[in-house]
């Protein structure tokens, strides 16, 4: 099957702003509504798909505004370009980890994910298009740069002028010569979870009266959590809240953290508090864990899951290694040392974990921004992390807070916060990072407040699998007193720049494990502000968000 002869060839001109970031192309929704904007980028993706006449592509998204319309456009364009088969989630819905799952199960050529992850949705919100490659993970830089290069030279795209297909009925239809298969978005993912997590143990936990709440944030994990937690594992009806995906996420910001999930955190305090609470984000790849009386940082969650992974069937043989993104706290490093396995420190971006997973070097990985994952897919996976936590609770017979405290008692506590300075003037943010990099060589040995800089560098990573080198991934200040500050500019926002400052301090003494986090990190925060001249260079006296 070649390019469909019935296709309309539409002349177009390039847009200058279609370079994909670490998580695809993200812009404000009105940008994607610009005539030809979606079509140009989709055509650039399709031009890079080899053997289209034999290829399967997976298509789905998080339910945000514009998603269904873009799914229909992708169907028409894929058919016009001669793609053999499309697998599309019913209603256009597929969580990001489910896309990865289906790509791997179907041995697909790749997938197109429609999401802006944890960013707000709606007519004035954000939208995004991301391409995942055949191993199920995000496209590596070589692929995203090829897509960008194609967008710079594009002069036409191909599309069929056919009616919309029914996205809500399972089964196969033909669009031109392309078979479009509408599938249950949950089934394959749920079957995969059963392979890696002990469903019987979790079901027994719920049967024994275990009470939890899962907030799907009116985003894509609602159908998955309802099907698995309530309908399969026996959690009471109502365990899953905000379970219907809405185009604007119900007007909420679908970013699972204590700021945007304050009500969930409140349920975990007081005499009638629940046993466990969790949430996931817009596209289902992030998670928040709340134990009785405490928010569990993503860094601690990664370390605890690594320490207990052997209790789940998918990891019973042990882990070959573990990986964390550089800004993530060093808590998991100490677990890896105790287990006698390797710990890898990578740049931010799931593609770096995917290489290590494919090579069999790691079994679990995670990042401080609430993303945790494992060898089961090549994306971070929010609901999987929640299920693994439930597996650990069931297997140990310990409450979630007891697990956290036992972990600290054995390994020490890493006090940790991230300070986000959002929508900073881009030029000012770049200027801050440039000035910081220029002073690195002179920082070791200097005193900043009550801390001594032991090391300072700009993190660079040499991939142990392919030898590729990734530079300028964030400035690290390591203090002799067991503290660290990391500075990065985020690539996942859509307006201005976000300066992220990651603060941590290690405390081995159990008598000091119940300090207020802000108080424990106050000295580190002050040192970070002073060294980077944050207020002077950005005009910000305080961060926009602290998590």
């Amino acid at each position: 099957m070649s390019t469909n002869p019935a296709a309309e060839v539409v002349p177009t001109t390039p847009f200058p702003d279609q370079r994909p970031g670490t998580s695809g192309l993200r812009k404000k929704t009105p940008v994607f509504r610009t005539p030809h904007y979606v079509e140009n980028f989709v055509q650039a993706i399709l031009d890079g798909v080899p053997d289209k006449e034999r290829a399967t592509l997976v298509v789905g998204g998080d339910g945000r505004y514009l998603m269904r319309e873009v799914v229909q456009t992708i169907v028409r364009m894929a058919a016009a370009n001669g793609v053999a088969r499309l697998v599309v989630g019913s209603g256009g819905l597929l969580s990001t980890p489910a896309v990865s799952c289906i790509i791997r199960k179907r041995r697909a050529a790749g997938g197109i994910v429609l999401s802006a992850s944890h960013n707000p949705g709606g007519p004035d919100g954000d939208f995004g298009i991301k391409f995942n490659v055949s191993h199920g993970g995000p496209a590596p830089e070589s692929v995203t740069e090829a897509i960008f290069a194609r967008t710079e030279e594009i002069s036409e795209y191909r599309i069929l002028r056919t009616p919309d297909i029914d996205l809500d009925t399972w089964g196969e239809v033909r669009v031109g010569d392309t078979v479009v298969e509408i599938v249950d978005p949950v089934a394959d993912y749920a079957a995969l979870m059963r392979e890696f997590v002990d469903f019987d143990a979790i079901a027994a936990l719920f049967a024994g009266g275990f009470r939890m709440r899962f907030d799907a944030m009116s985003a894509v994990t609602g159908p998955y959590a309802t099907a698995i937690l309530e309908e399969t594992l026996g959690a009471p009806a109502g365990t899953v809240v905000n379970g219907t995906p809405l185009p604007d996420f119900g007007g909420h910001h679908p970013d699972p953290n204590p700021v945007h999930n304050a009500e969930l955190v409140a349920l975990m305090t007081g005499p009638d508090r629940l046993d466990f609470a969790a949430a996931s984000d817009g596209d289902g790849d992030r998670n928040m864990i709340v134990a009785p009386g405490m928010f569990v940082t993503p860094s601690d969650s990664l370390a605890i899951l690594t320490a207990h992974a052997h209790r789940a069937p998918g990891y019973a043989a042990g882990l070959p290694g573990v990986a964390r993104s550089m800004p993530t706290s060093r808590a998991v490093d100490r677990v890896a040392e105790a287990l006698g396995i390797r710990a890898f420190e990578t740049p931010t971006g799931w593609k770096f974990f995917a290489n290590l997973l494919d090579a069999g070097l790691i079994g679990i990985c995670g990042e401080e921004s609430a993303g945790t994952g494992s060898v089961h897919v090549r994306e971070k996976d929010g609901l999987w992390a929640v299920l693994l936590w439930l597996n650990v609770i069931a297997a140990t017979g310990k409450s979630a807070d007891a697990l956290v405290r036992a972990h600290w008692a054995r390994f020490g506590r890493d006090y940790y916060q991230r300070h986000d300075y959002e929508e900073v003037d881009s030029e000012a943010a770049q200027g801050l990072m440039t000035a910081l990099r220029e002073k690195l060589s002179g920082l070791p040995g200097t005193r900043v407040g009550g801390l001594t800089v032991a090391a300072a560098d700009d993190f660079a990573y040499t991939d142990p699998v392919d030898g590729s080198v990734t530079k300028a991934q964030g400035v690290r200040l390591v203090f002799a007193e067991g503290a660290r500050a990391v500075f990065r500019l985020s690539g996942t926002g859509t307006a201005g720049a976000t300066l992220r400052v990651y603060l941590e301090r290690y405390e081995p003494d159990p008598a000091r494990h119940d300090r207020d986090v802000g108080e424990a990190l106050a000295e580190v925060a002050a040192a970070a502000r002073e060294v980077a001249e944050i207020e002077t260079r950005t005009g910000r006296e305080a961060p926009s968000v602290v998590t």
Side-chain angles (χ1 to χ4, degrees), residues 187-264:
D188 287 338
Y189 176 85
L192 184 65
M193 290 300 97
R194 189 180 287 273
E195 294 177 23
F196 280 82
V197 178
D198 189 341
F199 274 27
D200 290 341
I202 300 173
L205 189 70
F206 284 122
F210 186 85
R211 298 189 307 154
M212 74 166 286
R213 183 69 51 85
F214 180 90
D215 187 354
M217 304 191 81
S218 301
V220 76
T221 48
Y224 295 84
T226 301
I228 295 173
L229 292 173
E230 295 186 5
E231 297 170 8
T232 302
L233 297 174
T239 295
V240 178
V241 297
N242 298 315
T244 301
L246 299 174
D248 65 348
F249 306 121
H252 299 132
H253 191 152
D255 186 358
N257 63 51
V259 175
H260 297 124
N261 288 96
E263 292 182 8
L264 194 68

Side-chain angles (χ1 to χ4, degrees), residues 42-121:
V42 171
Q43 186 65 58
I45 291 173
L46 294 173
D47 284 347
V49 175
D51 300 323
K52 283 187 273 289
E53 67 276 6
R54 290 185 293 275
T56 295
L57 292 178
V58 180
V59 180
D62 60 10
R64 70 179 58 231
Y65 182 85
L66 196 63
M67 184 204 71
R68 290 177 69 102
E69 182 179 326
V70 175
V71 169
Q72 299 283 4
T73 297
I74 292 170
V75 168
R76 294 186 182 99
M77 292 187 67
N81 281 271
V83 174
R85 177 179 287 267
L86 297 178
V87 179
V88 182
S90 176
L93 292 172
L94 282 174
S95 73
T96 291
V99 170
S100 184
C101 166
I102 296 172
I103 289 172
R104 294 171 64 80
K105 180 176 181 179
R106 298 293 190 104
R107 294 183 171 86
I112 301 177
V113 183
L114 305 177
S115 172
S117 189
H118 57 291
N119 293 346

Side-chain angles (χ1 to χ4, degrees), residues 290-517:
V290 190
M294 66 170 68
F295 163 67
V296 183
T297 69
S299 295
D300 275 350
S301 180
L302 172 64
I304 292 165
L305 292 180
T306 298
H308 291 279
H310 64 281
R311 302 182 190 279
Y315 316 95
L319 303 172
V322 65
R324 63 170 174 85
S325 64
M326 181 272 287
T328 302
S329 94
R330 297 164 291 181
V332 76
D333 300 6
R334 283 180 280 279
V335 176
E337 183 178 3
L339 294 175
I341 61 176
R342 295 181 69 182
F344 296 87
E345 183 179 37
T346 75
T348 297
W350 211 254
K351 58 190 176 185
F352 299 103
F353 292 147
N355 267 10
L356 298 171
L357 289 164
D358 283 345
L361 294 176
I362 62 171
I364 283 182
C365 47
E367 56 189 21
E368 54 71 36
S369 56
T372 325
S374 90
V375 71
H376 70 289
V377 290
R378 294 300 180 267
E379 287 278 8
K380 45 187 179 263
D381 188 348
L383 185 54
W384 162 86
V386 174
L387 292 170
L388 187 54
W389 262 96
L390 292 172
N391 192 149
V392 172
I393 291 168
T396 61
K398 293 182 178 179
S399 64
D401 56 320
L403 284 166
V404 175
R405 293 190 180 282
H407 183 89
W408 291 344
R410 179 181 178 189
F411 295 102
R413 180 176 183 181
D414 289 81
Y415 285 99
Y416 188 90
Q417 275 185 345
R418 189 180 85 191
H419 291 192
D420 286 2
Y421 296 81
E422 296 178 337
E423 298 188 5
V424 175
D425 176 78
S426 295
E427 188 174 333
Q430 290 289 353
L432 181 150
M433 292 300 296
T434 298
L436 192 52
R437 289 183 167 107
E438 289 174 349
K439 67 170 70 171
L440 285 176
S441 61
L443 288 175
T446 61
R447 293 281 292 177
V448 187
L451 301 176
T452 302
V453 179
D457 68 1
D458 193 358
F459 180 61
Y461 176 70
T462 300
D463 193 302
V465 178
D466 61 22
S468 61
V469 178
T470 307
K471 298 181 178 180
Q473 291 301 297
V475 169
R476 300 185 293 186
L477 302 183
V478 179
F479 299 99
E481 296 77 11
R484 189 177 73 147
V486 173
F487 305 82
R488 287 185 66 249
L489 296 184
S490 169
T492 58
T494 59
T498 297
L499 171 67
R500 289 187 169 155
V501 184
Y502 310 83
L503 309 169
E504 67 175 295
R505 189 163 193 166
Y506 177 61
E507 179 53 71
D509 183 1
R512 294 172 60 82
H513 285 173
D514 285 315
R515 298 179 66 193
D516 174 79
V517 176

